[in-house]
Amino acid sequence: MEMETELGGSAGPDADPGSRSSGCSLRHFACEQNLLSRPDGSASFLQGVAEKSRERLIRNTCEAVVLGTLHPRTSITIALQIVSDAGSLLACCLNAACLALVDAGVPMRALFCGVTCALDPDGALILDPTAKQEKEARAILTFALDSTEQKLLMSTTKGLYSVAEFQQCLAAAQHASHHIFRFYRDSLQRRYSKS
Amino acid sequence: MKETPLSNCERRFLLRAIEEKKRLDGRQTYDYRNIKISFGTDYGCCIVELGKTRVLGQVSCELVSPKLNRATEGILFFNLELSQMAAPAFEPGRQSDLLVKLNRLLERCLRNSKCIDTESLCVVAGEKVWQIRVDLHLLNHDGNIIDAASIAAIVALSHFRRPDVSVQGDEITLYALEERDPVPLSIHHMPICISFAFFQQGTYLLVDPNEREERVMDGLLVIAMNKHREICTIQSSGGIMLLQDQVLRCSKIAGVKVAEITELIQKALENDKRVRKEGGKFGFAESIANQRITAFKMEKAPVDTSDVEEKAEEIIAEADPPSEAVSKPVLWTPGTAQIGEGIESSWGDLEEEEDEDEGGSDDVTILDSVKMETEDQNVGNHITDDTPIVLSDSEEDEIIILEPGENPKKTRIQANNSKQEKASSKKAIRKKKKKKAAN
């Protein structure tokens, strides 16, 4: 028996690219679910490589939350298509993967989300950086957090940073994940509620 | 994954409906599905939806040396990919036939028709030309891939802007997007493929077949035309035999359809241009319809990170110090070292089982010697019976030395003619039995 979960994940940029205040805010989000008719589930997520390593990271995160034991001898395929890249690509892929798994009805023990933090050369913390900010940053840290207790599922980092900075970024990411999970909840509620 | 086969009753149902001039989605024979074109923020990125068939088109450019036999022409490269999410049958290794067919048709339609002026892509003759690359990804397969792909390709090419270049003597200056406005490609005409599906050996015809109709069709006729009613490519596949007037009729229908679709494309391109000029919001984010229940948007949200530093410091203070760095390596023999301890084997007790798998005998070394020693095959604990384990000293025997485990209890036996056998090695037992029978 095979079950396929497929999704299109897309990273689209902020609508007004110029205005990004320093410090922390999450860019505009948009998502659409069940947009493809052939796969079992699909989602499109817009958020203001090494290809194989990214795939491995996403797979490991999904493996940690998907209840594989409920579907033995089953292959779950997640197909991600990048439509455009405007920074925070891995985090966007993770968000898209989670929403598509939800759309396909795959049982999971928690939802997960991806958040990217960048540390610019002055040491300031920027959440959800644009492509330009990522290029100029001293370090880029991407975290996958779960929805129940905002625990860390996966972290991948690039660049130079101290332990204290890592913990700070992680704490900031946990704050940001509240917003993302609320977005998930609202969009799913909109879809499934009767009103 | 294998494609779900089409059931006979579904096939009969579709064919009967077509005979009665009915289509499952309520369209007329010559009707096209709804075409929706949306653009991304970058120039050259677009998504075309033909009903539920969705194709993503992306154009990019690069400065390269030209081909040797075409020194003054730019290079065009087309690539259509059938993404795995488009249909369960599209696996990375398994789609060659359809893929080749589609790619070939697309190339003929766009390249051989000379819709793009390749001479204008030349920067320095013989040295630098633009290489334009069109990547098409099929996101959802609901029939008629070739039409959607050709529309996506031509729309993406029309939407694309390449960076401006200037040549002074030998120097080529490539201006960044911020310095000078990018330049559109010079496109002569827009060839668009129109597909006709034939049923019952050419008796019935449908325009724009969807996926179910494609499965039951006998043959397909694809006509690529532009709005000036010039045929760029025509291809008939499936082995149906068409009459001349059928083909002519199809070309007339194609002419009408192409005019409609070209108008739609122009409107979409102009819309996008206007929105960009006026400074409005553009991009895929805007094309997600707000009213759809499956779509949701959230505006920019500030995140309060004021207490982040204290929280971080707290965590660091409470955390244990990081564990010891790598332990020192232990050198067993020259060329063999060990760092750290291995984990305990989780194979557990295996000697109790009589029909144990002789796993250890797979990677054993064969040694020819008079004095042999044998050790327990698996890491388990001790042998249930104290019988020494013997291998015969005949040279015809394969002497099997089993891998030593972490097991401290090893039984060393000297070769002798004792006739005891080892419980856990069936192979050895069998061999010894054979040898004993032979002797």
Side-chain angles (χ1 to χ4, degrees):
Chain A
M1 183 187 81
E2 264 195 77
M3 177 168 83
E4 289 210 32
T5 303
E6 290 163 1
L7 58 83
S10 70
D14 207 350
D16 37 341
S19 61
R20 288 269 303 134
S21 50
S22 70
C24 305
S25 56
L26 295 170
R27 288 180 287 178
H28 165 103
F29 282 12
C31 86
E32 196 176 343
Q33 295 163 56
N34 206 12
L35 56 160
L36 304 178
S37 61
R38 293 309 297 277
D40 293 330
S42 53
S44 156
F45 200 91
L46 267 84
Q47 199 174 323
V49 183
E51 288 308 317
K52 283 294 168 188
S53 75
R54 235 184 267 147
E55 281 174 22
R56 184 181 47 90
L57 294 168
I58 299 174
R59 193 187 73 209
N60 288 351
T61 314
C62 294
E63 271 177 10
V65 287
V66 167
L67 294 169
T69 48
L70 288 177
H71 294 281
R73 294 185 299 284
T74 300
S75 150
I76 300 181
T77 306
I78 304 182
L80 281 157
Q81 175 70 50
I82 297 174
V83 173
S84 60
D85 180 3
S88 310
L89 184 60
L90 182 56
C92 190
C93 289
L94 284 165
N95 294 336
C98 180
L99 279 180
L101 285 166
V102 168
D103 189 45
V106 174
M108 298 195 276
R109 60 171 63 90
L111 300 181
F112 58 91
C113 77
V115 186
T116 309
C117 277
L119 285 167
D120 72 355
D122 315 323
L125 201 152
I126 307 174
L127 274 181
D128 194 22
T130 61
K132 192 153 162 294
Q133 286 168 333
E134 273 187 357
K135 235 190 295 205
E136 297 164 1
R138 164 165 58 94
I140 303 174
L141 301 91
T142 305
F143 302 106
L145 301 164
D146 89 335
S147 62
T148 42
E149 293 170 26
Q150 282 77 48
K151 288 213 164 131
L152 186 62
L153 288 169
M154 183 275 297
S155 96
T156 178
T157 64
K158 191 168 90 153
L160 201 61
Y161 54 90
S162 68
V163 177
E165 285 171 341
F166 179 83
Q167 291 293 353
Q168 279 175 27
C169 287
L170 185 51
Q174 284 172 331
H175 278 277
S177 67
H178 287 297
H179 288 264
I180 302 183
F181 288 127
R182 198 174 41 144
F183 177 69
Y184 281 4
R185 219 180 332 227
D186 289 344
S187 59
L188 288 168
Q189 211 166 17
R190 179 183 156 102
R191 184 174 169 207
Y192 290 117
S193 68
K194 291 200 189 133
S195 55
Chain B
M1 235 176 82
K2 205 153 176 264
E3 186 79 60
T4 324
L6 190 65
S7 56
N8 283 338
C9 50
E10 200 169 358
R11 179 184 297 268
R12 267 200 303 265
F13 178 66
L14 282 162
L15 289 173
R16 280 282 288 281
I18 291 169
E19 284 169 24
E20 296 175 15
K21 306 261 198 280
K22 289 192 173 51
R23 289 175 92 159
L24 287 192
D25 43 13
R27 286 187 279 159
Q28 298 298 319
T29 320
Y30 301 143
D31 279 350
Y32 248 77
R33 288 173 282 182
N34 270 338
I35 302 181
K36 179 164 175 265
I37 303 176
S38 47
F39 296 97
T41 35
D42 302 331
Y43 282 115
C45 180
C46 75
I47 288 188
V48 170
E49 291 174 51
L50 176 59
K52 293 203 204 137
T53 303
R54 206 185 270 241
V55 178
L56 164 73
Q58 180 77 49
V59 178
S60 52
C61 66
E62 206 190 334
L63 274 175
V64 294
S65 331
K67 293 198 186 137
L68 293 169
N69 54 346
R70 295 255 189 274
T72 53
E73 286 183 13
I75 304 177
L76 276 177
F77 182 70
F78 300 99
N79 183 31
L80 169 67
E81 269 176 28
L82 303 174
S83 164
Q84 215 181 344
M85 69 177 86
F90 293 156
E91 270 177 4
R94 274 223 245 151
Q95 343 151 343
S96 34
D97 257 0
L98 179 62
L99 194 61
V100 167
K101 179 162 161 253
L102 292 170
N103 268 305
R104 200 62 206 103
L105 191 51
L106 214 69
E107 275 207 33
R108 279 167 51 203
C109 168
L110 293 162
R111 194 200 294 273
N112 297 2
S113 65
K114 306 225 188 296
C115 58
I116 312 275
D117 181 13
T118 43
E119 300 270 350
S120 69
L121 295 175
C122 178
V123 177
V124 175
E127 282 178 30
K128 284 283 179 212
V129 298
W130 282 111
Q131 176 183 9
I132 305 288
R133 194 197 154 99
V134 183
D135 283 298
L136 301 160
H137 294 269
L138 180 69
L139 298 177
N140 198 39
H141 175 32
D142 197 31
N144 208 0
I145 304 176
I146 188 65
D147 283 21
S150 75
I151 298 176
I154 202 64
V155 166
L157 283 166
S158 310
H159 191 244
F160 180 63
R161 306 268 182 275
R162 64 167 172 81
D164 199 6
V165 233
S166 72
V167 186
Q168 269 124 1
D170 275 341
E171 238 183 66
I172 307 177
T173 331
L174 184 66
Y175 294 104
L177 293 165
E178 294 89 27
E179 297 173 27
R180 273 210 204 168
D181 271 344
V183 167
L185 297 175
S186 114
I187 297 183
H188 294 310
H189 60 92
M190 295 199 189
I192 295 176
C193 294
I194 307 286
S195 302
F196 299 89
F198 287 95
F199 303 87
Q200 314 284 43
Q201 276 81 46
T203 325
Y204 301 101
L205 155 73
L206 284 183
V207 176
D208 185 19
N210 70 16
E211 203 253 338
R212 293 284 121 163
E213 290 162 355
E214 268 186 2
R215 293 245 237 167
V216 299
M217 73 183 174
D218 285 337
L220 185 71
L221 174 70
V222 180
I223 302 183
M225 239 194 204
N226 61 21
K227 73 171 186 212
H228 308 292
R229 303 182 59 88
E230 297 168 331
I231 294 185
C232 307
T233 301
I234 186 164
Q235 170 168 312
S236 166
S237 57
I240 36 144
M241 287 168 290
L242 296 171
L243 299 169
Q244 182 194 24
D245 62 317
Q246 274 177 315
V247 178
L248 283 176
R249 195 156 30 104
C250 289
S251 68
K252 286 204 187 78
I253 299 170
V256 171
K257 291 296 162 196
V258 165
E260 286 170 14
I261 296 179
T262 313
E263 206 188 298
L264 209 134
I265 295 179
Q266 297 287 16
K267 235 195 297 183
L269 283 167
E270 268 169 33
N271 233 2
D272 181 72
K273 199 158 142 190
R274 187 176 43 90
V275 168
R276 278 175 204 255
K277 212 197 298 201
E278 291 169 2
K281 296 190 179 182
F282 51 87
F284 289 126
E286 294 318 305
S287 58
I288 290 187
N290 267 341
Q291 301 77 28
R292 273 214 213 138
I293 210 172
T294 51
F296 190 64
K297 293 191 198 179
M298 179 173 96
E299 293 310 320
K300 203 151 111 157
V303 176
D304 177 23
T305 51
S306 44
D307 62 342
V308 154
E309 282 199 25
E310 297 96 58
K311 211 168 155 208
E313 276 163 29
E314 243 177 59
I315 294 178
I316 297 180
E318 291 172 21
D320 300 326
S323 53
E324 277 293 305
V326 176
S327 52
K328 289 185 52 184
V330 177
L331 189 66
W332 293 106
T333 74
T336 312
Q338 179 181 338
I339 303 181
E341 300 273 316
I343 320 174
E344 268 249 2
S345 163
S346 51
W347 282 65
D349 256 346
L350 289 180
E351 300 79 38
E352 295 153 8
E353 316 257 348
E354 288 273 302
D355 47 349
E356 196 48 59
D357 184 22
E358 55 271 79
S361 50
D362 285 338
D363 33 30
V364 296
T365 47
I366 298 174
L367 195 57
D368 210 11
S369 69
V370 174
K371 180 171 176 185
M372 295 152 290
E373 41 188 53
T374 166
E375 292 151 337
D376 270 356
Q377 180 176 357
N378 303 302
V379 179
N381 307 316
H382 64 88
I383 314 182
T384 43
D385 54 332
D386 278 338
T387 54
I389 296 161
V390 178
L391 294 176
S392 93
D393 58 350
S394 159
E395 278 181 279
E396 294 159 335
D397 255 0
E398 260 187 38
I399 316 298
I400 302 173
I401 302 284
L402 304 165
E403 291 287 289
E406 303 286 321
N407 186 6
K409 295 191 185 165
K410 301 175 187 171
T411 49
R412 299 169 62 96
I413 298 106
Q414 268 204 346
N416 59 31
N417 293 328
S418 161
K419 301 213 187 288
Q420 277 149 338
E421 292 163 15
K422 184 170 179 211
S424 50
S425 173
K426 241 186 183 172
K427 220 195 241 173
I429 292 171
R430 268 194 240 118
K431 264 205 195 84
K432 280 181 254 157
K433 277 186 178 154
K434 263 193 232 156
K435 289 296 168 198
K436 275 159 197 157
N439 286 348

